[in-house]
Amino acid sequence: MKCRFCDTELTENDKYCPHCGMKVEARPQSVSRVTDRVPVFEQHQTNRNIVVWIILIVVLILLAVFKLTANPSSSKDHYYNSDSYSTHKPEKYDYKEINGDYILDKGDDLVISNLNGGGYITDDGESIYMVDDDGNIAKFDKNMSKNEVIYNGSCGDLQVHEGYLYFKDTYKNNYTFKMDLATKEVTTVLEEDAYYVRVYGQDIYYQSDQNNESIFHYNMSTNETVQINDEASYNLQRVGNLLYFSTANAIKAYDTTTKEMKTIKQGRVINLVCQEDALYYIDGNSGFIYTMDLTGDTQVSTRLNREVSNNLIVNQDQIYYLNDSNEVINMKTNGLDNQVLSDEETGYSLQLQGEYLFIQNDDYYGDYEWYRMDLNGENGGYVYIQNIGSYI
């Protein structure tokens, strides 16, 4: 069985892809018809037995209600009172106040969030670059009123740095390329079967599929390549001098200056988004979202929700994710104000760009398509990328 997003080989026990972190769809189990006859019990119950059964049922119902309403507790973790979400939407917030003026003033946490979800959308401050249903790269104006396809391939890991659009093309051995946005000239940057490609100035960090899925550092100025570790690593991202990543059983950080490696937290995680003072992750066992404060002497994980989650997006003080029903959920980074943004449009991948969320789902024919809505879950519509025009 292979991941439908990155073609990584999966085992029967994998709930999430170890490469891209996307949810693995469970194969439907065959249902056998029950052919044994169900015995018919004679109606010889006494009034006493009926009363006993009624009392037992009432007790079980009361216990179930108590369990659902009781506050959770743990000796290791702290919890916010956000055990469930509501379809009732609170008063609308000003999304421009949160995100800046449309596509401006975005933070690195948002860039990493989109990259962890496949890196299908990015911008250069003037234009938006987006991977269409076929894997091609389309260029939009910032109002998304018109577009043009600027590269044909099967692309991901889109990032803009200093006038160049960096991307990976799976049709071309997962090599990494860069496009001069002024001339549209494309050149090869990295001839490696690479995953989690992250560009920081002249530095590229990536996971090498040919070398035990370990991390490598490539400097575009000196053309030097250095291996950083020797274990399967995922969710690469650099904050300051620290390169954070996850392994099969831990979150680690590599100091790019001192070359020291340290373990931040034991345990397997799915998605990981790091900031200077905190990190956010989806626990690999429960599927719940946690945060860890990095400012104190001791790091304590705090659970933010109580449902299986995937495709974690962190943008300043807001979190967006898909739940186990593929609904779009929004909450604050402290776990409060948990709400359903969309239960009508469900998806398999989530990206955030400016004032819009983009949800990738399947159409009637099984092809991918993008649905766009604002951060209040309204003003939605499908994005159709053509040679001329975009219809939303």
Side-chain angles (χ1 to χ4, degrees), residues 77-147:
D77 297 324
H78 298 286
Y79 299 90
Y80 290 107
N81 185 20
S82 59
D83 295 342
S84 61
Y85 56 81
S86 172
T87 56
H88 174 70
K89 296 182 179 179
E91 184 177 353
K92 296 180 181 179
Y93 54 80
D94 185 353
Y95 48 74
K96 289 191 176 181
E97 180 181 347
I98 294 174
N99 291 296
D101 185 10
Y102 192 49
I103 57 179
L104 304 180
D105 300 329
K106 68 180 186 301
D108 287 339
D109 51 3
L110 174 57
V111 175
I112 288 299
S113 297
N114 284 340
L115 286 171
N116 285 345
Y120 299 125
I121 187 168
T122 190
D123 73 86
D124 62 1
E126 294 294 333
S127 302
I128 296 175
Y129 303 92
M130 184 176 182
V131 176
D132 69 9
D133 306 344
D134 297 321
N136 307 314
I137 300 176
K139 176 184 176 181
F140 287 83
D141 62 3
K142 65 179 182 180
N143 296 319
M144 298 198 74
S145 59
K146 60 181 179 179
N147 70 74

Side-chain angles (χ1 to χ4, degrees), residues 186-226:
V186 177
T187 56
T188 305
V189 175
L190 187 64
E191 295 185 0
E192 288 277 354
D193 185 5
Y195 293 85
Y196 297 100
V197 176
R198 307 293 184 254
V199 181
Y200 298 92
Q202 295 298 309
D203 297 312
I204 297 181
Y205 299 91
Y206 63 94
Q207 179 215 75
S208 175
D209 195 53
Q210 299 172 336
N211 294 275
N212 194 31
E213 298 183 338
S214 52
I215 302 175
F216 281 74
H217 168 226
Y218 171 67
N219 186 285
M220 289 185 283
S221 297
T222 63
N223 291 324
E224 294 180 346
T225 302
V226 177

Side-chain angles (χ1 to χ4, degrees), residues 116-392:
N116 285 345
Y120 299 125
I121 187 168
T122 190
D123 73 86
D124 62 1
E126 294 294 333
S127 302
I128 296 175
Y129 303 92
M130 184 176 182
V131 176
D132 69 9
D133 306 344
D134 297 321
N136 307 314
I137 300 176
K139 176 184 176 181
F140 287 83
D141 62 3
K142 65 179 182 180
N143 296 319
M144 298 198 74
S145 59
K146 60 181 179 179
N147 70 74
E148 61 172 327
V149 175
I150 59 175
Y151 182 86
N152 293 295
S154 179
C155 303
D157 286 351
L158 270 60
Q159 302 157 77
V160 173
H161 289 277
E162 300 177 350
Y164 289 93
L165 174 64
Y166 292 83
F167 59 92
K168 184 182 66 174
D169 189 346
T170 58
Y171 283 166
K172 297 181 179 179
N173 303 316
N174 274 327
Y175 286 1
T176 302
F177 302 87
K178 70 176 182 180
M179 173 186 290
D180 188 321
L181 294 177
T183 65
K184 303 297 188 296
E185 181 181 358
V186 177
T187 56
T188 305
V189 175
L190 187 64
E191 295 185 0
E192 288 277 354
D193 185 5
Y195 293 85
Y196 297 100
V197 176
R198 307 293 184 254
V199 181
Y200 298 92
Q202 295 298 309
D203 297 312
I204 297 181
Y205 299 91
Y206 63 94
Q207 179 215 75
S208 175
D209 195 53
Q210 299 172 336
N211 294 275
N212 194 31
E213 298 183 338
S214 52
I215 302 175
F216 281 74
H217 168 226
Y218 171 67
N219 186 285
M220 289 185 283
S221 297
T222 63
N223 291 324
E224 294 180 346
T225 302
V226 177
Q227 184 170 354
I228 291 178
N229 67 348
D230 191 20
E231 62 180 333
S233 307
Y234 316 97
N235 298 303
L236 279 61
Q237 52 206 280
R238 197 179 77 182
V239 180
N241 293 328
L242 294 179
L243 178 67
Y244 290 92
F245 59 94
S246 62
T247 66
N249 54 18
I251 299 174
K252 296 185 178 182
Y254 172 75
D255 193 315
T256 58
T257 302
T258 65
K259 315 303 181 186
E260 295 179 353
M261 188 83 68
K262 64 178 180 179
T263 299
I264 305 298
K265 179 191 179 301
Q266 295 288 348
R268 188 173 70 92
V269 304
I270 304 300
N271 286 148
L272 173 65
V273 179
C274 300
Q275 299 174 336
E276 289 187 0
D277 56 354
L279 51 85
Y280 302 85
Y281 62 90
I282 297 178
D283 181 75
N285 295 319
S286 66
F288 300 160
I289 299 175
Y290 285 77
T291 183
M292 176 181 287
D293 187 353
L294 300 177
T295 61
D297 295 332
T298 59
Q299 282 75 47
V300 178
S301 290
T302 301
R303 191 183 69 197
L304 299 181
N305 70 346
R306 292 189 64 186
E307 63 178 345
V308 175
S309 312
N310 59 83
N311 213 153
L312 176 64
I313 298 285
V314 181
N315 186 29
Q316 299 184 20
D317 66 342
Q318 298 292 318
I319 289 177
Y320 306 87
Y321 64 93
L322 299 173
N323 65 10
D324 200 33
S325 299
N326 295 330
E327 298 170 326
V328 181
I329 311 296
N330 166 235
M331 65 180 175
K332 292 183 178 179
T333 49
N334 60 6
L336 300 179
D337 296 342
N338 196 313
Q339 61 170 326
V340 178
L341 282 186
S342 174
D343 55 4
E344 296 180 358
E345 294 297 330
T346 60
Y348 301 99
S349 181
L350 187 65
Q351 304 272 274
L352 192 154
Q353 187 64 40
E355 60 189 65
Y356 290 105
L357 282 165
F358 292 84
I359 310 167
Q360 189 182 55
N361 54 26
D362 290 343
D363 64 11
Y364 179 79
Y365 301 100
D367 296 325
Y368 294 136
E369 58 184 1
W370 289 101
Y371 182 85
R372 187 187 76 165
M373 65 182 181
D374 67 25
L375 300 184
N376 290 309
E378 301 174 347
N379 302 315
Y382 283 93
V383 178
Y384 297 100
I385 300 176
Q386 298 180 353
N387 291 331
I388 302 177
S390 172
Y391 305 93
I392 300 178

Side-chain angles (χ1 to χ4, degrees), residues 25-44:
E25 295 185 46
R27 294 181 177 178
Q29 303 293 325
S30 60
V31 180
S32 59
R33 303 189 68 178
V34 180
T35 56
D36 296 335
R37 293 181 178 272
V38 179
V40 180
F41 293 94
E42 297 181 355
Q43 304 298 320
H44 295 297

